[in-house]
Amino acid sequence: MKVIGQFCDLDDPNRFVWLRGFRNMSERAEGLKGFYGGPVWKAQRETANATMIDSDNVFVTAPGAP
């Protein structure tokens, strides 16, 4: 997984956009499984999740230009 960018919503201080890139959907599945199933997330997830109001708004888009 490559973090492409992260942005604040100027109209809503409680919202942000986080762009992640993957080579394909298989790599996305493996990357997410590795991250969310890994020791760092398991150790920090409660602290991280406590800072978020909503983390369920996910959009998967078509590939962009390199």
Side-chain angles (χ1 to χ4, degrees):
M1 159 175 36
K2 181 177 181 181
V3 176
I4 299 169
Q6 49 190 345
F7 310 92
C8 294
D9 183 335
L10 296 177
D11 296 324
D12 185 348
N14 292 316
R15 190 171 298 272
F16 69 93
V17 176
W18 183 29
L19 299 176
R20 299 178 292 184
F22 305 90
R23 290 185 191 151
N24 54 49
M25 293 303 286
S26 295
E27 184 180 281
R28 178 181 183 270
E30 287 300 313
L32 295 177
K33 178 181 173 186
F35 178 80
Y36 292 108
V40 173
W41 180 252
K42 286 181 180 178
Q44 301 299 323
R45 68 180 166 208
E46 288 183 31
T47 301
N49 284 332
T51 69
M52 296 179 234
I53 296 169
D54 178 8
S55 62
D56 294 332
N57 196 0
V58 176
F59 295 98
V60 178
T61 63

